[in-house]
Amino acid sequence: AQSVTQPDIHITVSEGASLELRCNYSYGATPYLFWYVQSPGQGLQLLLKYFSGDTLVQGIKGFEAEFKRSQSSFNLRKPSVHWSDAAEYFCAVGGFGNEKLTFGTGTRLTIIP
Amino acid sequence: DTEVTQTPKHLVMGMTNKKSLKCEQHMGHRAMYWYKQKAKKPPELMFVYSYEKLSINESVPSRFSPECPNSSLLNLHLHALQPEDSALYLCASSQTPGTAGGELFFGEGSRLTVL
């Protein structure tokens, strides 16, 4: 079975501060890992993805994530957050030949001035 | 054109009504998906169409009936729904079936309320 755990339900960060959102996964083979962002009332937008190769992946809007196989983690980071980053963030896992993408429960990010 | 368009954006229906949700993409994608998202929850996969054929049904009740008339269109027919079916229904597409196909492109969703 495949699963994703996002241990932080809600995180509050000051504008300009750094951000790290945690994601742990369980997958029986080589995982494909994704981070999506969802603004209120909107669909989901892909921030970045990891299939193979360099374990540090760069995404849109200044986000990056690091794949650590030994820790089954794929944490999302941003060095300096902007008020527009306030949203719900979902980590997801899939794999080769697997049509099912499994999402974590999400982390809601609030930005304070 | 990198959009997935969903209509209607909002739908209110009674438990005896029949309605449909529509989804359209013109990116040439060969896989299309329906997800259901309850408030403050992650999206849950309902159906996957690969090359216009139903490839995954996640044990969804028969009151939800998907249809893929062609490679650009995906419908979700609704009949005899229950109040607990109220949710945001998200359509998505990907270039090829499977998560190896890379990015899922999501529509903005259809918010369904069942009275």
Side-chain angles (χ1 to χ4, degrees):
Chain A
Q2 59 194 71
S3 65
V4 175
T5 300
Q6 293 181 247
D8 304 307
I9 296 173
H10 185 203
I11 285 182
T12 299
V13 177
S14 297
E15 190 169 14
S18 64
L19 171 71
E20 183 169 26
L21 302 182
R22 295 183 290 167
C23 171
N24 291 95
Y25 68 90
S26 174
Y27 194 75
T30 300
Y32 294 161
L33 294 159
F34 305 81
W35 275 100
Y36 282 86
V37 61
Q38 185 178 33
S39 297
Q42 303 290 311
L44 283 75
Q45 181 184 23
L46 181 71
L47 287 176
L48 46 78
K49 63 189 178 203
Y50 173 79
F51 284 3
S52 65
D54 191 348
T55 56
L56 185 64
V57 293
Q58 302 297 320
I60 62 171
K61 304 184 181 186
F63 285 92
E64 66 177 26
E66 186 171 12
F67 171 60
K68 293 186 177 180
R69 184 184 300 275
S70 62
Q71 299 177 21
S72 297
S73 69
F74 188 58
N75 294 348
L76 182 71
R77 300 194 293 249
K78 186 169 185 177
S80 176
V81 298
H82 186 263
W83 63 266
S84 60
D85 293 324
E88 189 86 19
Y89 290 79
F90 292 98
C91 182
V93 68
F96 181 78
N98 182 356
E99 292 178 310
K100 183 174 181 178
L101 192 63
T102 297
F103 288 88
T105 50
T107 297
R108 183 161 60 96
L109 177 64
T110 297
I111 307 296
I112 55 176
Chain B
D1 184 359
T2 58
E3 284 190 347
V4 175
T5 304
Q6 291 187 243
T7 56
K9 292 194 184 307
H10 300 275
L11 178 63
V12 180
M13 61 185 292
M15 289 189 285
T16 59
N17 292 158
K18 286 185 179 181
K19 297 286 185 183
S20 297
L21 304 181
K22 297 185 185 300
C23 175
E24 189 168 4
Q25 58 88 11
H26 295 288
M27 295 178 279
H29 289 179
R30 302 312 304 273
M32 297 186 76
Y33 310 76
W34 280 114
Y35 281 83
K36 175 182 178 179
Q37 187 178 26
K38 302 281 279 185
K40 301 188 187 303
K41 297 291 186 183
E44 296 180 351
L45 183 65
M46 300 176 70
F47 302 104
V48 180
Y49 272 83
S50 299
Y51 298 101
E52 294 123 67
K53 294 196 184 309
L54 184 65
S55 60
I56 293 181
N57 176 341
E58 287 286 291
S59 302
V60 178
S62 59
R63 57 185 184 268
F64 295 91
S65 176
E67 178 195 20
C68 189
N70 59 56
S71 60
S72 299
L73 294 173
L74 185 66
N75 299 321
L76 186 63
H77 302 298
L78 315 170
H79 174 54
L81 295 193
Q82 303 297 310
E84 59 265 30
D85 296 322
S86 298
L88 182 68
Y89 288 84
L90 293 164
C91 175
S93 69
S94 63
Q95 189 169 18
T96 54
T99 47
E103 179 174 359
L104 287 185
F105 288 80
F106 282 87
E108 294 190 348
S110 293
R111 186 162 299 281
L112 173 67
T113 302
V114 182
L115 302 176

